[in-house]
Amino acid sequence: MSKNVNSVLVTGGAGYIGSHVVSALLDAQVTNLVVLDNLSTGFKESLTKDINFVLGDIQDFCLLSKLLAKERIDTVIHLAAKTVIPESITFPQRYYQNNTFGTLNLLQACVENKVKNFIYSSTAAVYGKAEHNIAETCSTKPINPYGHSKLMAEQMLIDTAKSYPLNYVILRYFNVAGADPSTKMGQRTLNATHLIKAAVQTACKIVPYLAIFGTDYPTPDGTCIRDYIHVSDLANAHLSAMQYLNEEKGSAILNCGYGRGYSVKQVIKTLEKITNESLPVLIAPARAGDLPQVVAQNTKIKSLLKWAPQFDDIEFIIRTALAFEQKMLNIKHF
Ligand code: UDP
């Protein structure tokens, strides 16, 4: 791959998605790469030792401003965020403080330091309506504080770009899962709440059973349907977004998903097929803030960024998540 001329700051680069984005940027040989992370949910071990790592918070304006100036950053990839919907319902302030105020702070520092490109990690939670084939033009009506906190940040970015020479790509992630196929990175989060991570932790006997949150949803098998996207495909979408911004074609809001969904029960069945063991499950009440079905329409990202996913395969996604979990446990493969 030819050398890339960007000087890039990745916030949240030690996190699950961030570490995969950083790895993709290293492969693309960006001229300068800086990772900022407060390590609240990230792990330094997810990064190679030679990374220019800064321990700090996006709410620290002085730190941000100095860093952007010193490193002559032209592109910010902003992933630092709190991302757990149930937690956002219990502790909404944490989400507005970190996701909304933190992004405002970062945007202010970017404007003052003439950052040209801003790639923002947003979420399907901004739509808030149960739908199949959700297009970027669908109405945005979040149903939980997490979705609201991210949508407000989107709006601040859009408005900033109207008044300053800054272009953006907002990537609305659907359900990110899996791990780097080499297992050098993956989701290290300790108290996992996301389905595939929780399921592979159950398969590895780290937790005794998987709770199925609700079986009475208006879906074919009664459990919720999600569009699971492999984290490496998502990481590559960030590189394509940077390329798009470098070509000065303007700004864009893009869904990141494969355009098809799997139910909770289908995920469990696939995992059972891989391990050849039945997974201990418990039927639990529906979780607050969950929608029956969230599936992307992805024609826009494919046409605008020429994004070509490589791992659109639910079995592969679960296999890589399981392989990483086993590596962390240092146990034998099934
Ligand atoms: N889910 C579940 N058991 C779990 C975790 C999740 O049944 O231990 C369900 C959850 O209710 C939702 C789907 O799996 O219907 C995806 O949830 P996740 O937390 O992975 O992502 P979200 O879509 O909420 O961001």
Side-chain angles (χ1 to χ4, degrees):
M1 200 177 284
S2 62
K3 199 163 166 69
N4 181 298
V5 293
N6 292 90
S7 181
V8 184
L9 171 69
V10 182
T11 73
Y16 166 47
I17 298 170
S19 58
H20 289 78
V21 171
V22 167
S23 171
L25 289 165
L26 287 173
D27 288 346
Q29 301 186 334
V30 288
T31 301
N32 186 28
L33 175 60
V34 186
V35 171
L36 175 78
D37 201 300
N38 66 7
L39 297 183
S40 57
T41 53
F43 295 84
K44 243 188 122 179
E45 296 82 350
S46 302
L47 299 168
T48 51
K49 290 203 172 56
D50 52 345
I51 286 279
N52 184 356
F53 176 81
V54 177
L55 177 65
D57 199 288
I58 52 167
Q59 295 178 56
D60 184 343
F61 182 81
C62 280
L63 170 75
L64 289 175
S65 208
K66 278 188 198 151
L67 192 61
L68 293 173
K70 177 172 161 256
E71 300 288 345
R72 298 173 179 273
I73 298 294
D74 56 65
T75 301
V76 169
I77 303 182
H78 177 34
L79 296 113
K82 293 199 153 291
T83 61
V84 180
I85 290 173
E87 185 195 32
S88 82
I89 295 168
T90 315
F91 303 109
Q93 302 87 338
R94 288 184 194 171
Y95 280 69
Y96 295 117
Q97 180 74 34
N98 196 78
N99 298 357
T100 314
F101 175 71
T103 302
L104 177 63
N105 210 36
L106 177 59
L107 276 175
Q108 182 64 28
C110 287
V111 162
E112 289 185 14
N113 289 281
K114 301 190 169 43
V115 168
K116 281 178 7 202
N117 305 328
F118 198 101
I119 298 170
Y120 181 56
S121 92
S122 190
T123 167
V126 299
Y127 293 112
K129 217 166 109 201
E131 269 186 62
H132 190 71
N133 208 22
I134 300 171
E136 291 84 351
T137 47
C138 285
S139 60
T140 46
K141 289 196 181 111
I143 59 158
N144 48 56
Y146 169 59
H148 278 295
S149 71
K150 298 292 278 188
L151 184 61
M152 284 188 224
E154 279 194 7
Q155 192 60 52
M156 294 183 318
L157 174 55
I158 293 164
D159 290 340
T160 301
K162 283 180 189 154
S163 303
Y164 295 91
L166 173 141
N167 285 320
Y168 62 84
V169 172
I170 292 171
L171 297 174
R172 290 181 177 159
Y173 306 167
F174 281 63
N175 286 65
V176 188
D180 183 84
S182 75
T183 71
K184 73 179 175 199
M185 295 158 296
Q187 194 169 7
R188 287 173 174 260
T189 329
L190 299 172
N191 301 312
T193 59
H194 291 298
L195 178 67
I196 290 180
K197 172 78 178 175
V200 298
Q201 287 196 321
T202 311
C204 291
K205 305 189 175 30
I206 297 167
V207 289
Y209 59 83
L210 176 77
I212 300 179
F213 296 132
T215 52
D216 293 325
Y217 283 98
T219 59
D221 67 17
T223 63
C224 291
I225 292 174
R226 295 289 181 275
D227 185 338
Y228 295 96
I229 167 175
H230 191 278
V231 63
S232 300
D233 276 338
L234 181 68
N236 281 325
H238 294 74
L239 280 190
S240 306
M242 190 164 74
Q243 180 67 31
Y244 177 82
L245 289 168
N246 283 343
E247 287 164 9
E248 300 188 353
K249 291 176 176 167
S251 297
I253 300 179
L254 302 169
N255 284 341
C256 291
Y258 291 144
R260 60 178 158 151
Y262 294 90
S263 73
V264 174
K265 284 187 178 167
Q266 285 175 316
V267 166
I268 293 169
K269 274 221 158 11
T270 308
L271 177 57
E272 289 178 332
K273 186 181 144 205
I274 295 167
T275 61
N276 207 19
E277 276 181 18
S278 70
L279 194 76
V281 298
L282 188 105
I283 306 299
R287 208 170 59 172
D290 272 348
L291 291 163
Q293 185 159 192
V294 185
V295 179
Q297 185 189 99
N298 65 7
T299 43
K300 194 172 168 193
I301 187 169
K302 282 184 168 167
S303 66
L304 215 63
L305 300 191
K306 314 276 178 282
W307 179 63
Q310 295 176 61
F311 306 117
D312 177 3
D313 176 348
I314 191 68
E315 190 174 321
F316 184 79
I317 292 172
I318 298 172
R319 265 186 200 285
T320 56
L322 181 63
F324 182 75
E325 206 63 46
Q326 289 167 330
K327 182 188 154 191
M328 297 292 286
L329 266 181
N330 203 16
I331 60 170
K332 275 207 329 244
H333 286 242
F334 287 99

